[in-house]
Amino acid sequence: CDQCLPGYYGRPEQGPCQPCACPNLRQNFAATCRADPVRGYICNCQEGYAGERCERCDYGYYGSPLAPGGKCERCRCNPYGIAREGCDDVTGQCYCKPGISGLDCSVCRARHVMTKTGCAACD
């Protein structure tokens, strides 16, 4: 009981721990934070969150952490179907190779199958 839980700050021996406002008190994505007289808080974000107040998703994650109930989730892209790493930071749409579609780049056009090098025609 000598430390605050993740997402809280303070010194328990001096009083109750306070929630971090990272980005706000209803949605707290801080691993830790500390009060700052100029900035209000200095936030150390949980994995997947970025920004001064953990208000956006980090590279490789997507979502809308400022929206009510919003959060960041890891991009789940098919490694054989992507043209490049990462995904759209809001929708999670992966960047697909030509001829490949789907949110995770796992859908080949008709009469094609996914291989380690992309989609191949079924002959």
Side-chain angles (χ1 to χ4, degrees):
C1 294
D2 61 341
Q3 295 180 14
C4 294
L5 290 171
Y8 289 79
Y9 73 97
R11 299 180 71 181
E13 67 275 3
Q14 295 178 350
C17 296
Q18 300 297 313
C20 301
C22 303
N24 57 57
L25 292 174
R26 288 181 303 283
Q27 289 174 216
N28 181 353
F29 303 119
T32 62
C33 74
R34 64 182 168 85
D36 182 88
V38 175
R39 293 171 30 193
Y41 294 95
I42 296 178
C43 304
N44 297 309
C45 304
Q46 296 174 15
E47 182 179 347
Y49 295 86
E52 191 170 306
R53 291 286 185 105
C54 310
E55 73 278 3
R56 61 184 170 80
C57 298
D58 204 356
Y59 180 78
Y61 291 80
Y62 73 96
S64 300
L66 291 175
K71 62 181 180 178
C72 295
E73 297 182 55
R74 185 180 298 277
C75 297
R76 305 235 184 265
C77 303
N78 181 321
Y80 303 124
I82 59 171
R84 64 182 170 105
E85 294 289 322
C87 68
D88 181 276
D89 63 348
V90 175
T91 66
Q93 174 64 56
C94 300
Y95 306 110
C96 303
K97 291 178 182 176
I100 301 175
S101 62
L103 184 68
D104 65 350
C105 299
S106 65
V107 179
C108 295
R109 61 182 174 250
R111 305 219 12 93
H112 286 71
V113 64
M114 182 66 68
T115 69
K116 289 183 180 182
T117 58
C119 292
C122 299
D123 290 326

PDB file of all heavy atoms in Angstrom, residues 26-66:
ATOM      1  N   ARG A  26     -12.433  10.209 -17.066  1.00  0.00           N
ATOM      2  CA  ARG A  26     -13.315   9.080 -17.402  1.00  0.00           C
ATOM      3  C   ARG A  26     -12.575   7.997 -18.187  1.00  0.00           C
ATOM      4  O   ARG A  26     -12.927   6.832 -18.108  1.00  0.00           O
ATOM      5  CB  ARG A  26     -14.526   9.574 -18.191  1.00  0.00           C
ATOM      6  CG  ARG A  26     -15.516  10.358 -17.351  1.00  0.00           C
ATOM      7  CD  ARG A  26     -16.727  10.814 -18.146  1.00  0.00           C
ATOM      8  NE  ARG A  26     -16.397  11.631 -19.318  1.00  0.00           N
ATOM      9  CZ  ARG A  26     -16.053  12.919 -19.284  1.00  0.00           C
ATOM     10  NH1 ARG A  26     -15.976  13.535 -18.131  1.00  0.00           N
ATOM     11  NH2 ARG A  26     -15.797  13.571 -20.395  1.00  0.00           N
ATOM     12  N   GLN A  27     -11.598   8.399 -18.964  1.00  0.00           N
ATOM     13  CA  GLN A  27     -10.823   7.456 -19.766  1.00  0.00           C
ATOM     14  C   GLN A  27      -9.354   7.703 -19.463  1.00  0.00           C
ATOM     15  O   GLN A  27      -8.756   8.664 -19.941  1.00  0.00           O
ATOM     16  CB  GLN A  27     -11.125   7.644 -21.259  1.00  0.00           C
ATOM     17  CG  GLN A  27     -12.509   7.157 -21.572  1.00  0.00           C
ATOM     18  CD  GLN A  27     -12.920   7.437 -23.004  1.00  0.00           C
ATOM     19  OE1 GLN A  27     -14.062   7.729 -23.219  1.00  0.00           O
ATOM     20  NE2 GLN A  27     -12.039   7.342 -23.960  1.00  0.00           N
ATOM     21  N   ASN A  28      -8.798   6.829 -18.685  1.00  0.00           N
ATOM     22  CA  ASN A  28      -7.447   6.996 -18.181  1.00  0.00           C
ATOM     23  C   ASN A  28      -6.551   5.932 -18.812  1.00  0.00           C
ATOM     24  O   ASN A  28      -6.677   4.757 -18.501  1.00  0.00           O
ATOM     25  CB  ASN A  28      -7.484   6.870 -16.656  1.00  0.00           C
ATOM     26  CG  ASN A  28      -6.129   7.044 -16.017  1.00  0.00           C
ATOM     27  OD1 ASN A  28      -5.111   7.127 -16.680  1.00  0.00           O
ATOM     28  ND2 ASN A  28      -6.124   7.090 -14.702  1.00  0.00           N
ATOM     29  N   PHE A  29      -5.658   6.341 -19.719  1.00  0.00           N
ATOM     30  CA  PHE A  29      -4.773   5.409 -20.401  1.00  0.00           C
ATOM     31  C   PHE A  29      -3.323   5.580 -19.961  1.00  0.00           C
ATOM     32  O   PHE A  29      -2.394   5.244 -20.696  1.00  0.00           O
ATOM     33  CB  PHE A  29      -4.901   5.582 -21.921  1.00  0.00           C
ATOM     34  CG  PHE A  29      -6.308   5.388 -22.408  1.00  0.00           C
ATOM     35  CD1 PHE A  29      -6.987   6.405 -23.047  1.00  0.00           C
ATOM     36  CD2 PHE A  29      -6.966   4.184 -22.212  1.00  0.00           C
ATOM     37  CE1 PHE A  29      -8.285   6.235 -23.504  1.00  0.00           C
ATOM     38  CE2 PHE A  29      -8.273   3.998 -22.653  1.00  0.00           C
ATOM     39  CZ  PHE A  29      -8.924   5.026 -23.300  1.00  0.00           C
ATOM     40  N   ALA A  30      -3.123   6.092 -18.771  1.00  0.00           N
ATOM     41  CA  ALA A  30      -1.773   6.288 -18.245  1.00  0.00           C
ATOM     42  C   ALA A  30      -1.302   5.049 -17.500  1.00  0.00           C
ATOM     43  O   ALA A  30      -2.063   4.415 -16.781  1.00  0.00           O
ATOM     44  CB  ALA A  30      -1.742   7.489 -17.307  1.00  0.00           C
ATOM     45  N   ALA A  31      -0.031   4.722 -17.693  1.00  0.00           N
ATOM     46  CA  ALA A  31       0.603   3.714 -16.848  1.00  0.00           C
ATOM     47  C   ALA A  31       0.930   4.395 -15.521  1.00  0.00           C
ATOM     48  O   ALA A  31       0.674   3.866 -14.445  1.00  0.00           O
ATOM     49  CB  ALA A  31       1.851   3.163 -17.514  1.00  0.00           C
ATOM     50  N   THR A  32       1.483   5.595 -15.633  1.00  0.00           N
ATOM     51  CA  THR A  32       1.764   6.443 -14.478  1.00  0.00           C
ATOM     52  C   THR A  32       1.625   7.892 -14.921  1.00  0.00           C
ATOM     53  O   THR A  32       1.584   8.187 -16.106  1.00  0.00           O
ATOM     54  CB  THR A  32       3.206   6.238 -13.936  1.00  0.00           C
ATOM     55  OG1 THR A  32       4.138   6.595 -14.953  1.00  0.00           O
ATOM     56  CG2 THR A  32       3.433   4.815 -13.491  1.00  0.00           C
ATOM     57  N   CYS A  33       1.567   8.786 -13.959  1.00  0.00           N
ATOM     58  CA  CYS A  33       1.577  10.216 -14.254  1.00  0.00           C
ATOM     59  C   CYS A  33       2.046  10.944 -13.016  1.00  0.00           C
ATOM     60  O   CYS A  33       2.182  10.344 -11.944  1.00  0.00           O
ATOM     61  CB  CYS A  33       0.193  10.712 -14.689  1.00  0.00           C
ATOM     62  SG  CYS A  33      -1.017  10.839 -13.358  1.00  0.00           S
ATOM     63  N   ARG A  34       2.313  12.219 -13.186  1.00  0.00           N
ATOM     64  CA  ARG A  34       2.621  13.052 -12.026  1.00  0.00           C
ATOM     65  C   ARG A  34       2.045  14.432 -12.277  1.00  0.00           C
ATOM     66  O   ARG A  34       1.923  14.877 -13.415  1.00  0.00           O
ATOM     67  CB  ARG A  34       4.110  13.094 -11.736  1.00  0.00           C
ATOM     68  CG  ARG A  34       4.966  13.704 -12.785  1.00  0.00           C
ATOM     69  CD  ARG A  34       6.453  13.644 -12.378  1.00  0.00           C
ATOM     70  NE  ARG A  34       7.325  13.977 -13.465  1.00  0.00           N
ATOM     71  CZ  ARG A  34       7.673  15.202 -13.816  1.00  0.00           C
ATOM     72  NH1 ARG A  34       7.212  16.233 -13.135  1.00  0.00           N
ATOM     73  NH2 ARG A  34       8.479  15.417 -14.830  1.00  0.00           N
ATOM     74  N   ALA A  35       1.671  15.075 -11.218  1.00  0.00           N
ATOM     75  CA  ALA A  35       1.128  16.424 -11.317  1.00  0.00           C
ATOM     76  C   ALA A  35       2.249  17.381 -11.699  1.00  0.00           C
ATOM     77  O   ALA A  35       3.399  17.199 -11.298  1.00  0.00           O
ATOM     78  CB  ALA A  35       0.507  16.834  -9.993  1.00  0.00           C
ATOM     79  N   ASP A  36       1.913  18.365 -12.519  1.00  0.00           N
ATOM     80  CA  ASP A  36       2.874  19.374 -12.952  1.00  0.00           C
ATOM     81  C   ASP A  36       2.186  20.729 -12.846  1.00  0.00           C
ATOM     82  O   ASP A  36       1.073  20.892 -13.371  1.00  0.00           O
ATOM     83  CB  ASP A  36       3.305  19.084 -14.397  1.00  0.00           C
ATOM     84  CG  ASP A  36       4.329  20.063 -14.898  1.00  0.00           C
ATOM     85  OD1 ASP A  36       5.526  19.827 -14.694  1.00  0.00           O
ATOM     86  OD2 ASP A  36       3.913  21.083 -15.513  1.00  0.00           O
ATOM     87  N   PRO A  37       2.807  21.706 -12.187  1.00  0.00           N
ATOM     88  CA  PRO A  37       2.142  22.994 -11.987  1.00  0.00           C
ATOM     89  C   PRO A  37       1.860  23.753 -13.287  1.00  0.00           C
ATOM     90  O   PRO A  37       0.924  24.549 -13.358  1.00  0.00           O
ATOM     91  CB  PRO A  37       3.098  23.776 -11.096  1.00  0.00           C
ATOM     92  CG  PRO A  37       4.408  23.077 -11.206  1.00  0.00           C
ATOM     93  CD  PRO A  37       4.122  21.656 -11.568  1.00  0.00           C
ATOM     94  N   VAL A  38       2.616  23.499 -14.346  1.00  0.00           N
ATOM     95  CA  VAL A  38       2.423  24.212 -15.609  1.00  0.00           C
ATOM     96  C   VAL A  38       1.497  23.441 -16.547  1.00  0.00           C
ATOM     97  O   VAL A  38       0.542  23.987 -17.093  1.00  0.00           O
ATOM     98  CB  VAL A  38       3.783  24.471 -16.304  1.00  0.00           C
ATOM     99  CG1 VAL A  38       3.596  25.108 -17.664  1.00  0.00           C
ATOM    100  CG2 VAL A  38       4.663  25.337 -15.421  1.00  0.00           C
ATOM    101  N   ARG A  39       1.768  22.157 -16.749  1.00  0.00           N
ATOM    102  CA  ARG A  39       1.023  21.355 -17.724  1.00  0.00           C
ATOM    103  C   ARG A  39      -0.162  20.609 -17.131  1.00  0.00           C
ATOM    104  O   ARG A  39      -0.938  20.003 -17.856  1.00  0.00           O
ATOM    105  CB  ARG A  39       1.971  20.366 -18.398  1.00  0.00           C
ATOM    106  CG  ARG A  39       2.969  21.096 -19.253  1.00  0.00           C
ATOM    107  CD  ARG A  39       4.109  20.321 -19.827  1.00  0.00           C
ATOM    108  NE  ARG A  39       3.931  18.937 -20.121  1.00  0.00           N
ATOM    109  CZ  ARG A  39       4.932  18.112 -20.386  1.00  0.00           C
ATOM    110  NH1 ARG A  39       6.169  18.563 -20.415  1.00  0.00           N
ATOM    111  NH2 ARG A  39       4.713  16.854 -20.642  1.00  0.00           N
ATOM    112  N   GLY A  40      -0.310  20.608 -15.846  1.00  0.00           N
ATOM    113  CA  GLY A  40      -1.394  19.864 -15.198  1.00  0.00           C
ATOM    114  C   GLY A  40      -0.951  18.454 -14.858  1.00  0.00           C
ATOM    115  O   GLY A  40      -0.900  18.080 -13.702  1.00  0.00           O
ATOM    116  N   TYR A  41      -0.610  17.689 -15.881  1.00  0.00           N
ATOM    117  CA  TYR A  41      -0.130  16.320 -15.689  1.00  0.00           C
ATOM    118  C   TYR A  41       1.004  16.048 -16.671  1.00  0.00           C
ATOM    119  O   TYR A  41       1.018  16.597 -17.772  1.00  0.00           O
ATOM    120  CB  TYR A  41      -1.210  15.280 -16.004  1.00  0.00           C
ATOM    121  CG  TYR A  41      -2.386  15.287 -15.080  1.00  0.00           C
ATOM    122  CD1 TYR A  41      -3.528  15.996 -15.392  1.00  0.00           C
ATOM    123  CD2 TYR A  41      -2.370  14.556 -13.903  1.00  0.00           C
ATOM    124  CE1 TYR A  41      -4.619  15.998 -14.562  1.00  0.00           C
ATOM    125  CE2 TYR A  41      -3.457  14.555 -13.064  1.00  0.00           C
ATOM    126  CZ  TYR A  41      -4.573  15.276 -13.399  1.00  0.00           C
ATOM    127  OH  TYR A  41      -5.657  15.268 -12.567  1.00  0.00           O
ATOM    128  N   ILE A  42       1.878  15.172 -16.283  1.00  0.00           N
ATOM    129  CA  ILE A  42       2.837  14.580 -17.205  1.00  0.00           C
ATOM    130  C   ILE A  42       2.496  13.105 -17.218  1.00  0.00           C
ATOM    131  O   ILE A  42       2.566  12.422 -16.194  1.00  0.00           O
ATOM    132  CB  ILE A  42       4.288  14.834 -16.776  1.00  0.00           C
ATOM    133  CG1 ILE A  42       4.558  16.341 -16.840  1.00  0.00           C
ATOM    134  CG2 ILE A  42       5.247  14.051 -17.659  1.00  0.00           C
ATOM    135  CD1 ILE A  42       5.938  16.758 -16.407  1.00  0.00           C
ATOM    136  N   CYS A  43       2.036  12.638 -18.376  1.00  0.00           N
ATOM    137  CA  CYS A  43       1.528  11.275 -18.514  1.00  0.00           C
ATOM    138  C   CYS A  43       2.576  10.351 -19.118  1.00  0.00           C
ATOM    139  O   CYS A  43       3.241  10.711 -20.085  1.00  0.00           O
ATOM    140  CB  CYS A  43       0.299  11.276 -19.420  1.00  0.00           C
ATOM    141  SG  CYS A  43      -1.028  12.384 -18.867  1.00  0.00           S
ATOM    142  N   ASN A  44       2.691   9.170 -18.577  1.00  0.00           N
ATOM    143  CA  ASN A  44       3.448   8.072 -19.167  1.00  0.00           C
ATOM    144  C   ASN A  44       2.396   7.053 -19.590  1.00  0.00           C
ATOM    145  O   ASN A  44       1.788   6.400 -18.746  1.00  0.00           O
ATOM    146  CB  ASN A  44       4.431   7.465 -18.160  1.00  0.00           C
ATOM    147  CG  ASN A  44       5.477   8.467 -17.714  1.00  0.00           C
ATOM    148  OD1 ASN A  44       6.105   9.102 -18.536  1.00  0.00           O
ATOM    149  ND2 ASN A  44       5.620   8.632 -16.411  1.00  0.00           N
ATOM    150  N   CYS A  45       2.193   6.962 -20.901  1.00  0.00           N
ATOM    151  CA  CYS A  45       1.064   6.198 -21.435  1.00  0.00           C
ATOM    152  C   CYS A  45       1.261   4.687 -21.365  1.00  0.00           C
ATOM    153  O   CYS A  45       2.380   4.191 -21.405  1.00  0.00           O
ATOM    154  CB  CYS A  45       0.836   6.585 -22.898  1.00  0.00           C
ATOM    155  SG  CYS A  45       0.567   8.348 -23.135  1.00  0.00           S
ATOM    156  N   GLN A  46       0.134   3.985 -21.310  1.00  0.00           N
ATOM    157  CA  GLN A  46       0.128   2.533 -21.437  1.00  0.00           C
ATOM    158  C   GLN A  46       0.580   2.168 -22.850  1.00  0.00           C
ATOM    159  O   GLN A  46       0.524   3.001 -23.769  1.00  0.00           O
ATOM    160  CB  GLN A  46      -1.280   1.974 -21.237  1.00  0.00           C
ATOM    161  CG  GLN A  46      -1.870   2.183 -19.883  1.00  0.00           C
ATOM    162  CD  GLN A  46      -3.327   1.721 -19.834  1.00  0.00           C
ATOM    163  OE1 GLN A  46      -3.812   1.006 -20.705  1.00  0.00           O
ATOM    164  NE2 GLN A  46      -4.041   2.146 -18.806  1.00  0.00           N
ATOM    165  N   GLU A  47       0.984   0.931 -23.044  1.00  0.00           N
ATOM    166  CA  GLU A  47       1.365   0.463 -24.369  1.00  0.00           C
ATOM    167  C   GLU A  47       0.207   0.687 -25.343  1.00  0.00           C
ATOM    168  O   GLU A  47      -0.949   0.418 -25.017  1.00  0.00           O
ATOM    169  CB  GLU A  47       1.717  -1.023 -24.331  1.00  0.00           C
ATOM    170  CG  GLU A  47       2.167  -1.553 -25.669  1.00  0.00           C
ATOM    171  CD  GLU A  47       2.549  -3.021 -25.630  1.00  0.00           C
ATOM    172  OE1 GLU A  47       2.698  -3.587 -24.527  1.00  0.00           O
ATOM    173  OE2 GLU A  47       2.681  -3.598 -26.710  1.00  0.00           O
ATOM    174  N   GLY A  48       0.524   1.208 -26.519  1.00  0.00           N
ATOM    175  CA  GLY A  48      -0.476   1.439 -27.549  1.00  0.00           C
ATOM    176  C   GLY A  48      -1.013   2.863 -27.591  1.00  0.00           C
ATOM    177  O   GLY A  48      -1.723   3.226 -28.517  1.00  0.00           O
ATOM    178  N   TYR A  49      -0.672   3.684 -26.591  1.00  0.00           N
ATOM    179  CA  TYR A  49      -1.158   5.057 -26.527  1.00  0.00           C
ATOM    180  C   TYR A  49       0.008   6.024 -26.645  1.00  0.00           C
ATOM    181  O   TYR A  49       1.128   5.717 -26.252  1.00  0.00           O
ATOM    182  CB  TYR A  49      -1.906   5.298 -25.211  1.00  0.00           C
ATOM    183  CG  TYR A  49      -3.151   4.470 -25.121  1.00  0.00           C
ATOM    184  CD1 TYR A  49      -3.118   3.168 -24.632  1.00  0.00           C
ATOM    185  CD2 TYR A  49      -4.368   4.960 -25.569  1.00  0.00           C
ATOM    186  CE1 TYR A  49      -4.261   2.387 -24.585  1.00  0.00           C
ATOM    187  CE2 TYR A  49      -5.521   4.184 -25.518  1.00  0.00           C
ATOM    188  CZ  TYR A  49      -5.450   2.902 -25.028  1.00  0.00           C
ATOM    189  OH  TYR A  49      -6.584   2.136 -24.993  1.00  0.00           O
ATOM    190  N   ALA A  50      -0.268   7.214 -27.198  1.00  0.00           N
ATOM    191  CA  ALA A  50       0.774   8.213 -27.402  1.00  0.00           C
ATOM    192  C   ALA A  50       0.179   9.602 -27.221  1.00  0.00           C
ATOM    193  O   ALA A  50      -1.043   9.766 -27.096  1.00  0.00           O
ATOM    194  CB  ALA A  50       1.372   8.069 -28.802  1.00  0.00           C
ATOM    195  N   GLY A  51       1.042  10.589 -27.240  1.00  0.00           N
ATOM    196  CA  GLY A  51       0.621  11.980 -27.082  1.00  0.00           C
ATOM    197  C   GLY A  51       0.894  12.446 -25.668  1.00  0.00           C
ATOM    198  O   GLY A  51       1.113  11.654 -24.747  1.00  0.00           O
ATOM    199  N   GLU A  52       0.873  13.742 -25.507  1.00  0.00           N
ATOM    200  CA  GLU A  52       1.157  14.335 -24.204  1.00  0.00           C
ATOM    201  C   GLU A  52       0.185  13.847 -23.132  1.00  0.00           C
ATOM    202  O   GLU A  52       0.543  13.685 -21.976  1.00  0.00           O
ATOM    203  CB  GLU A  52       1.100  15.859 -24.318  1.00  0.00           C
ATOM    204  CG  GLU A  52       1.643  16.558 -23.102  1.00  0.00           C
ATOM    205  CD  GLU A  52       1.802  18.043 -23.318  1.00  0.00           C
ATOM    206  OE1 GLU A  52       2.464  18.429 -24.305  1.00  0.00           O
ATOM    207  OE2 GLU A  52       1.263  18.807 -22.493  1.00  0.00           O
ATOM    208  N   ARG A  53      -1.071  13.592 -23.535  1.00  0.00           N
ATOM    209  CA  ARG A  53      -2.105  13.130 -22.602  1.00  0.00           C
ATOM    210  C   ARG A  53      -2.664  11.762 -22.977  1.00  0.00           C
ATOM    211  O   ARG A  53      -3.795  11.444 -22.636  1.00  0.00           O
ATOM    212  CB  ARG A  53      -3.255  14.139 -22.553  1.00  0.00           C
ATOM    213  CG  ARG A  53      -2.942  15.467 -21.908  1.00  0.00           C
ATOM    214  CD  ARG A  53      -2.864  15.302 -20.389  1.00  0.00           C
ATOM    215  NE  ARG A  53      -2.685  16.558 -19.725  1.00  0.00           N
ATOM    216  CZ  ARG A  53      -3.640  17.189 -19.070  1.00  0.00           C
ATOM    217  NH1 ARG A  53      -4.841  16.700 -19.002  1.00  0.00           N
ATOM    218  NH2 ARG A  53      -3.379  18.322 -18.478  1.00  0.00           N
ATOM    219  N   CYS A  54      -1.902  10.955 -23.725  1.00  0.00           N
ATOM    220  CA  CYS A  54      -2.360   9.619 -24.143  1.00  0.00           C
ATOM    221  C   CYS A  54      -3.650   9.726 -24.957  1.00  0.00           C
ATOM    222  O   CYS A  54      -4.526   8.872 -24.880  1.00  0.00           O
ATOM    223  CB  CYS A  54      -2.555   8.691 -22.949  1.00  0.00           C
ATOM    224  SG  CYS A  54      -1.151   8.637 -21.813  1.00  0.00           S
ATOM    225  N   GLU A  55      -3.744  10.789 -25.766  1.00  0.00           N
ATOM    226  CA  GLU A  55      -4.977  11.095 -26.495  1.00  0.00           C
ATOM    227  C   GLU A  55      -5.040  10.488 -27.889  1.00  0.00           C
ATOM    228  O   GLU A  55      -6.030  10.647 -28.590  1.00  0.00           O
ATOM    229  CB  GLU A  55      -5.171  12.615 -26.587  1.00  0.00           C
ATOM    230  CG  GLU A  55      -4.246  13.320 -27.549  1.00  0.00           C
ATOM    231  CD  GLU A  55      -2.856  13.643 -27.004  1.00  0.00           C
ATOM    232  OE1 GLU A  55      -2.532  13.281 -25.855  1.00  0.00           O
ATOM    233  OE2 GLU A  55      -2.087  14.259 -27.752  1.00  0.00           O
ATOM    234  N   ARG A  56      -4.000   9.801 -28.311  1.00  0.00           N
ATOM    235  CA  ARG A  56      -4.012   9.172 -29.634  1.00  0.00           C
ATOM    236  C   ARG A  56      -3.347   7.805 -29.556  1.00  0.00           C
ATOM    237  O   ARG A  56      -2.699   7.472 -28.558  1.00  0.00           O
ATOM    238  CB  ARG A  56      -3.345  10.059 -30.675  1.00  0.00           C
ATOM    239  CG  ARG A  56      -1.898  10.373 -30.407  1.00  0.00           C
ATOM    240  CD  ARG A  56      -1.332  11.346 -31.454  1.00  0.00           C
ATOM    241  NE  ARG A  56      -0.037  11.827 -31.063  1.00  0.00           N
ATOM    242  CZ  ARG A  56       1.098  11.161 -31.205  1.00  0.00           C
ATOM    243  NH1 ARG A  56       1.093   9.974 -31.757  1.00  0.00           N
ATOM    244  NH2 ARG A  56       2.238  11.685 -30.803  1.00  0.00           N
ATOM    245  N   CYS A  57      -3.527   7.043 -30.613  1.00  0.00           N
ATOM    246  CA  CYS A  57      -2.948   5.698 -30.658  1.00  0.00           C
ATOM    247  C   CYS A  57      -1.516   5.755 -31.178  1.00  0.00           C
ATOM    248  O   CYS A  57      -1.208   6.537 -32.083  1.00  0.00           O
ATOM    249  CB  CYS A  57      -3.789   4.792 -31.551  1.00  0.00           C
ATOM    250  SG  CYS A  57      -5.477   4.571 -30.929  1.00  0.00           S
ATOM    251  N   ASP A  58      -0.680   4.933 -30.625  1.00  0.00           N
ATOM    252  CA  ASP A  58       0.718   4.834 -31.037  1.00  0.00           C
ATOM    253  C   ASP A  58       0.809   4.069 -32.354  1.00  0.00           C
ATOM    254  O   ASP A  58      -0.152   3.410 -32.781  1.00  0.00           O
ATOM    255  CB  ASP A  58       1.506   4.100 -29.950  1.00  0.00           C
ATOM    256  CG  ASP A  58       2.987   4.434 -29.959  1.00  0.00           C
ATOM    257  OD1 ASP A  58       3.442   5.179 -30.845  1.00  0.00           O
ATOM    258  OD2 ASP A  58       3.695   3.937 -29.054  1.00  0.00           O
ATOM    259  N   TYR A  59       1.971   4.117 -33.007  1.00  0.00           N
ATOM    260  CA  TYR A  59       2.186   3.394 -34.259  1.00  0.00           C
ATOM    261  C   TYR A  59       1.933   1.899 -34.029  1.00  0.00           C
ATOM    262  O   TYR A  59       2.379   1.343 -33.031  1.00  0.00           O
ATOM    263  CB  TYR A  59       3.608   3.608 -34.765  1.00  0.00           C
ATOM    264  CG  TYR A  59       3.870   2.892 -36.052  1.00  0.00           C
ATOM    265  CD1 TYR A  59       3.407   3.408 -37.257  1.00  0.00           C
ATOM    266  CD2 TYR A  59       4.538   1.678 -36.071  1.00  0.00           C
ATOM    267  CE1 TYR A  59       3.618   2.741 -38.448  1.00  0.00           C
ATOM    268  CE2 TYR A  59       4.749   1.004 -37.253  1.00  0.00           C
ATOM    269  CZ  TYR A  59       4.285   1.543 -38.442  1.00  0.00           C
ATOM    270  OH  TYR A  59       4.487   0.870 -39.618  1.00  0.00           O
ATOM    271  N   GLY A  60       1.197   1.288 -34.945  1.00  0.00           N
ATOM    272  CA  GLY A  60       0.867  -0.130 -34.811  1.00  0.00           C
ATOM    273  C   GLY A  60      -0.425  -0.376 -34.061  1.00  0.00           C
ATOM    274  O   GLY A  60      -0.809  -1.527 -33.835  1.00  0.00           O
ATOM    275  N   TYR A  61      -1.104   0.698 -33.682  1.00  0.00           N
ATOM    276  CA  TYR A  61      -2.380   0.613 -32.963  1.00  0.00           C
ATOM    277  C   TYR A  61      -3.384   1.538 -33.642  1.00  0.00           C
ATOM    278  O   TYR A  61      -3.000   2.466 -34.358  1.00  0.00           O
ATOM    279  CB  TYR A  61      -2.218   1.049 -31.505  1.00  0.00           C
ATOM    280  CG  TYR A  61      -1.406   0.080 -30.688  1.00  0.00           C
ATOM    281  CD1 TYR A  61      -0.018   0.085 -30.743  1.00  0.00           C
ATOM    282  CD2 TYR A  61      -2.023  -0.847 -29.869  1.00  0.00           C
ATOM    283  CE1 TYR A  61       0.736  -0.816 -30.001  1.00  0.00           C
ATOM    284  CE2 TYR A  61      -1.283  -1.744 -29.115  1.00  0.00           C
ATOM    285  CZ  TYR A  61       0.094  -1.724 -29.188  1.00  0.00           C
ATOM    286  OH  TYR A  61       0.834  -2.612 -28.457  1.00  0.00           O
ATOM    287  N   TYR A  62      -4.660   1.293 -33.413  1.00  0.00           N
ATOM    288  CA  TYR A  62      -5.698   2.142 -33.988  1.00  0.00           C
ATOM    289  C   TYR A  62      -6.851   2.290 -33.019  1.00  0.00           C
ATOM    290  O   TYR A  62      -7.032   1.495 -32.108  1.00  0.00           O
ATOM    291  CB  TYR A  62      -6.203   1.565 -35.314  1.00  0.00           C
ATOM    292  CG  TYR A  62      -7.066   0.325 -35.145  1.00  0.00           C
ATOM    293  CD1 TYR A  62      -8.449   0.426 -35.130  1.00  0.00           C
ATOM    294  CD2 TYR A  62      -6.502  -0.930 -34.991  1.00  0.00           C
ATOM    295  CE1 TYR A  62      -9.245  -0.695 -34.963  1.00  0.00           C
ATOM    296  CE2 TYR A  62      -7.289  -2.057 -34.834  1.00  0.00           C
ATOM    297  CZ  TYR A  62      -8.653  -1.936 -34.819  1.00  0.00           C
ATOM    298  OH  TYR A  62      -9.434  -3.051 -34.648  1.00  0.00           O
ATOM    299  N   GLY A  63      -7.635   3.332 -33.232  1.00  0.00           N
ATOM    300  CA  GLY A  63      -8.815   3.573 -32.420  1.00  0.00           C
ATOM    301  C   GLY A  63      -9.041   5.050 -32.196  1.00  0.00           C
ATOM    302  O   GLY A  63      -8.381   5.899 -32.793  1.00  0.00           O
ATOM    303  N   SER A  64      -9.979   5.351 -31.322  1.00  0.00           N
ATOM    304  CA  SER A  64     -10.342   6.738 -30.997  1.00  0.00           C
ATOM    305  C   SER A  64     -10.398   6.892 -29.485  1.00  0.00           C
ATOM    306  O   SER A  64     -11.470   6.858 -28.890  1.00  0.00           O
ATOM    307  CB  SER A  64     -11.697   7.083 -31.617  1.00  0.00           C
ATOM    308  OG  SER A  64     -11.655   6.942 -33.015  1.00  0.00           O
ATOM    309  N   PRO A  65      -9.239   7.042 -28.840  1.00  0.00           N
ATOM    310  CA  PRO A  65      -9.240   7.098 -27.377  1.00  0.00           C
ATOM    311  C   PRO A  65      -9.970   8.288 -26.766  1.00  0.00           C
ATOM    312  O   PRO A  65     -10.324   8.240 -25.596  1.00  0.00           O
ATOM    313  CB  PRO A  65      -7.755   7.119 -27.014  1.00  0.00           C
ATOM    314  CG  PRO A  65      -7.046   7.525 -28.244  1.00  0.00           C
ATOM    315  CD  PRO A  65      -7.898   7.118 -29.402  1.00  0.00           C
ATOM    316  N   LEU A  66     -10.236   9.333 -27.538  1.00  0.00           N
ATOM    317  CA  LEU A  66     -10.977  10.481 -26.995  1.00  0.00           C
ATOM    318  C   LEU A  66     -12.492  10.305 -27.091  1.00  0.00           C
ATOM    319  O   LEU A  66     -13.243  11.005 -26.426  1.00  0.00           O
ATOM    320  CB  LEU A  66     -10.567  11.767 -27.715  1.00  0.00           C
ATOM    321  CG  LEU A  66      -9.146  12.247 -27.423  1.00  0.00           C
ATOM    322  CD1 LEU A  66      -8.812  13.450 -28.284  1.00  0.00           C
ATOM    323  CD2 LEU A  66      -8.966  12.564 -25.948  1.00  0.00           C
TER     324      LEU A  66
END
